[in-house]
Amino acid sequence: MTLRRQLAVSLVALLALIGLNLAIVRWGSSARAECVERLRRTVERKTLVAMLRRDIEDRLRQVRLLSEIEMDGSFQPSQEALGEIRNDLEAVNRRVEQLRSLAGARSLGLVEEFARTYRFLHDSLIAFHDRFGGPGHDEAMGELSRLVEPTARGALNDLLALERQEAQLLEAASQEFYDVSSFTNGWMVSMLVCSALLILAMGYLLYRHLSRELAKLKSGVDAIGRGDLDHRIEVTSDDELGQLGTAFNSMTRNLQSAQQELRHTAEELETRHQDMEKQRQHSLSLLHNILPSEVAEELQRKGNVDPKYFEDVSILFLDFVGFTLATEKLAAEELVQLLHEYFTTFDRIVERYGLEKLKTIGDAYMCAGGLPVRNPSHPVDIVMAAFEMIESVEQTRRSGIGPRNWGARIGIHTGPVIAGVVGIQKFAFDIWGDTVNYSSRMESSGQRNRINLSASTYSRVKDFFHCEKRGKIPIKEGREVEMYFAEQVLPKLLGGSSELPPPGFVRRYRIYFQKDPPAFPEFLADDRWVMNRQAS
């Protein structure tokens, strides 16, 4: 039999074995996929059953604890608490519906029975919480033992039965998966053995004819694998193997040339990449320095920034009393350096309290709280920052570094604004609206080293700071507006404690805003600072 015929017969046999093996593998994959899907659904049902049992046990434990509370008529669950309880029960309802959607034919009956029991338990729990602590409290306590607890035990028993059944289904699905895998693996091993025997036979028949030329090719391939592109195969025949040796030698020459070109190109690309990365990092650094992080990311992602409406923002304006006189006496370089030091200190304070610096205009400094990330604590945070700004100016003045006649005048107003980025060159993040104008009026209507608050800001911070009512003060537009001076932290929040921040202040801050205050300046709790401020 000729070499060509031997190769053709062997190839046909090998293809037949491969085709049969692929068919078995395809069948096995399909069967395993079905088994895995059943396993997944079973495991998911078991997980849901465990979660439901935990939820019901938690609800039962909760109502038992509530039943042990001594009621004197003064306790009434808040609407927020009832809302949270309803949300928790609705979450359990969703898990029950998910369990029903995953139930198979064997477990559907038990699932439906549990769903009916839980619906009754759900209604009983809602009724219990609605009447607990109110006029129907006694009825709620009666239904606890008559309806809620028996129904909860019934639901737990249904879940226990479901767990046992799902365990049986899981075991059956696992066994089926094991059987399918064993059958498929056995066939695959058999086909691999047959294929190996066929290949060995082909190799044995061709060994004497091909061994010498293949050895030459092998040595050439080994040399290429070691990176020796100077190696050449000695060609001694004109048959296909000789032609292969000639092509191999041509390939090594081409690879040698291509390697040199690639190395040179890679070096150039790496240099360009490093330069581009440095430029990109520099651009990103500049962008994040002039815009808030969220706005910079949106501009980088979309190429523009959509205007946004912020319904609740506190805006602070600060300018220096005595600045105009200082411009006449100080050299320009000294004046700019002094403003730089003050504004740098203000920037650190703004960052510490999570506020956003907007801009400086001459000796005026403008920042805001509550944007671009909304948070409810911004009125309190911005007043704390204002105290620190005034104190920093006073410390600089007392140290003799700053002009002795300088003082900070601050105005704060709270209200809605529109925010966005304007311009295509030297663009800036800015805000617009009456709130900005009112904030400026608060500053211009204030006094040296005082924090002037509008009525809207006062209403948001009066539970934290003692404020002096100024009455109605005329502003630029000819109107009269209620204003207040923020004086100090409420003494009852300081509580005479030396701990910083004061526990009373922290407790109220957490109650109002569900978080800890970002900072608390030490001087606000110093009695000497308070007395000096009252004296001034």
Side-chain angles (χ1 to χ4, degrees):
M1 184 180 292
T2 64
L3 179 61
R4 180 178 296 177
R5 182 171 294 181
Q6 290 180 25
L7 289 173
V9 172
S10 300
L11 181 60
V12 170
L14 184 60
L15 289 175
L17 290 174
I18 292 174
L20 181 60
N21 194 30
L22 288 175
I24 295 173
V25 169
R26 184 178 180 84
W27 174 85
S29 298
S30 177
R32 280 196 296 268
E34 293 178 1
C35 294
V36 168
E37 178 61 19
R38 285 195 291 273
L39 281 170
R40 184 192 66 79
R41 292 174 67 89
T42 303
V43 170
E44 192 168 351
R45 289 196 300 270
K46 282 180 64 65
T47 302
L48 283 173
V49 168
M51 293 174 67
L52 287 168
R53 186 174 64 180
R54 183 200 62 194
D55 291 334
I56 293 175
E57 289 174 350
D58 289 345
R59 300 282 77 75
L60 186 58
R61 189 179 301 112
Q62 184 183 59
V63 298
R64 285 175 177 170
L65 289 174
L66 287 173
S67 67
E68 296 176 1
I69 298 176
E70 292 294 333
M71 301 302 298
D72 59 1
S74 62
F75 177 83
Q76 179 70 29
S78 65
Q79 291 301 318
E80 290 81 3
L82 291 175
E84 291 181 2
I85 292 171
R86 290 179 184 272
N87 290 338
D88 292 343
L89 292 174
E90 286 303 318
V92 178
N93 275 339
R94 289 191 291 272
R95 292 194 184 101
V96 173
E97 291 303 318
Q98 187 178 0
L99 180 62
R100 292 177 68 182
S101 66
L102 292 172
R106 295 181 58 182
S107 59
L108 184 58
L110 286 176
V111 171
E112 291 293 341
E113 182 179 350
F114 165 72
R116 289 192 296 270
T117 304
Y118 178 74
R119 280 196 296 271
F120 185 75
L121 176 61
H122 173 272
D123 296 339
S124 300
L125 287 172
I126 292 295
F128 171 80
H129 285 291
D130 286 342
R131 288 181 288 184
F132 181 80
H137 179 76
D138 294 337
E139 296 179 11
M141 299 306 297
E143 289 189 359
L144 174 63
S145 59
R146 183 172 60 86
L147 292 178
V148 176
E149 291 189 353
T151 306
R153 286 193 295 270
L156 291 174
N157 290 334
D158 291 342
L159 290 174
L160 184 61
L162 269 174
E163 283 186 339
R164 288 195 295 266
Q165 186 179 71
E166 294 301 333
Q168 295 173 358
L169 293 174
L170 182 62
E171 183 177 357
S174 300
Q175 183 61 41
E176 183 179 358
F177 180 82
Y178 174 77
D179 294 340
V180 171
S181 298
S182 298
F183 176 78
T184 305
N185 292 337
W187 269 100
M188 290 176 62
V189 170
S190 299
M191 294 299 101
L192 287 174
V193 171
C194 293
S195 300
L197 291 175
L198 180 59
I199 292 172
L200 287 174
M202 292 172 59
Y204 175 75
L205 293 173
L206 297 174
Y207 173 73
R208 286 179 295 182
H209 180 69
L210 303 176
S211 58
R212 184 179 62 184
E213 299 299 329
L214 289 177
K216 293 179 180 179
L217 290 172
K218 182 179 181 301
S219 65
V221 172
D222 290 341
I224 295 298
R226 294 192 301 268
D228 182 10
L229 298 180
D230 294 327
H231 182 82
R232 299 292 182 269
I233 293 176
E234 182 182 359
V235 179
T236 58
S237 63
D238 294 332
D239 59 8
E240 292 82 0
L241 292 177
Q243 295 174 6
L244 182 60
T246 301
F248 185 88
N249 290 336
S250 177
M251 180 190 69
T252 55
R253 286 191 293 270
N254 293 336
L255 285 175
Q256 194 171 28
S257 176
Q259 186 184 51
Q260 294 175 353
E261 293 180 1
L262 285 174
R263 185 181 297 112
H264 179 68
T265 303
E267 292 174 354
E268 290 183 352
L269 288 175
E270 179 63 23
T271 301
R272 293 180 182 178
H273 175 74
Q274 292 177 358
D275 292 340
M276 291 177 63
E277 182 63 22
K278 289 179 181 178
Q279 294 176 8
R280 190 180 74 86
Q281 293 297 333
H282 181 65
S283 298
L284 288 177
S285 176
L286 290 175
L287 188 62
H288 283 270
N289 192 39
I290 62 177
L291 295 177
S293 298
E294 294 79 4
V295 177
E297 291 173 1
E298 181 180 356
L299 182 62
Q300 182 183 5
R301 185 177 63 255
K302 297 169 52 179
N304 65 287
V305 178
D306 296 330
K308 294 180 177 63
Y309 176 77
F310 291 89
E311 67 282 354
D312 187 39
V313 173
S314 292
I315 302 174
L316 179 149
F317 272 95
L318 178 149
D319 76 341
F320 289 99
V321 177
F323 176 80
T324 303
L325 183 61
T327 59
E328 300 174 357
K329 297 182 178 180
L330 292 176
E333 180 183 359
E334 295 176 354
L335 183 63
V336 172
Q337 179 62 30
L338 189 60
L339 284 176
H340 171 73
E341 293 176 359
Y342 278 126
F343 289 167
T344 300
T345 301
F346 297 164
D347 288 346
R348 295 193 181 101
I349 295 172
V350 164
E351 181 180 7
R352 186 158 58 246
Y353 285 94
L355 308 176
E356 189 66 40
K357 175 184 177 181
L358 296 175
K359 55 187 169 182
T360 61
I361 305 172
D363 67 322
Y365 186 94
M366 179 182 178
C367 65
L371 60 76
V373 178
R374 294 172 169 86
N375 71 85
S377 64
H378 60 82
V380 175
D381 297 337
I382 205 167
V383 172
M384 298 280 282
F387 277 119
E388 284 207 43
M389 291 177 179
I390 291 177
E391 182 64 16
S392 69
V393 174
E394 280 297 287
Q395 287 180 356
T396 303
R397 185 186 63 80
R398 290 194 294 267
S399 66
I401 299 175
R404 300 192 59 82
N405 62 334
W406 275 33
R409 182 171 59 189
I410 295 179
I412 302 175
H413 177 61
T414 302
V417 298
I418 295 292
V421 174
V422 294
I424 58 174
Q425 293 183 347
K426 298 182 180 180
F427 43 73
F429 180 74
D430 207 347
I431 58 177
W432 301 269
D434 288 340
T435 300
V436 180
N437 298 330
Y438 274 111
S439 302
S440 177
R441 301 297 178 265
M442 293 302 107
E443 176 269 322
S444 61
S445 301
Q447 296 179 7
R448 173 192 175 96
N449 292 340
R450 305 296 293 271
I451 304 170
N452 193 29
L453 307 179
S454 68
S456 62
T457 304
Y458 166 75
S459 66
R460 302 285 292 277
V461 303
K462 61 183 177 61
D463 293 341
F464 291 87
F465 302 100
H466 171 69
C467 299
E468 174 189 338
K469 183 175 182 180
R470 302 182 64 194
K472 292 187 176 182
I473 306 296
I475 61 176
K476 183 177 180 180
E477 289 80 3
R479 290 181 293 171
E480 293 185 344
V481 179
E482 286 282 349
M483 299 184 189
Y484 300 81
F485 280 143
E487 296 292 338
Q488 64 183 77
V489 176
L490 290 175
K492 65 179 180 181
L493 297 184
L494 299 177
S497 173
S498 60
E499 182 180 351
L500 288 177
F505 184 90
V506 174
R507 182 168 53 254
R508 178 163 292 183
Y509 195 97
R510 287 174 177 169
I511 292 173
Y512 279 46
F513 309 124
Q514 285 74 56
K515 63 178 182 178
D516 289 334
F520 189 91
E522 182 178 354
F523 65 85
L524 285 180
D526 190 341
D527 293 337
R528 290 173 297 178
W529 179 87
V530 174
M531 288 187 294
N532 290 338
R533 187 167 181 82
Q534 290 173 348
S536 62

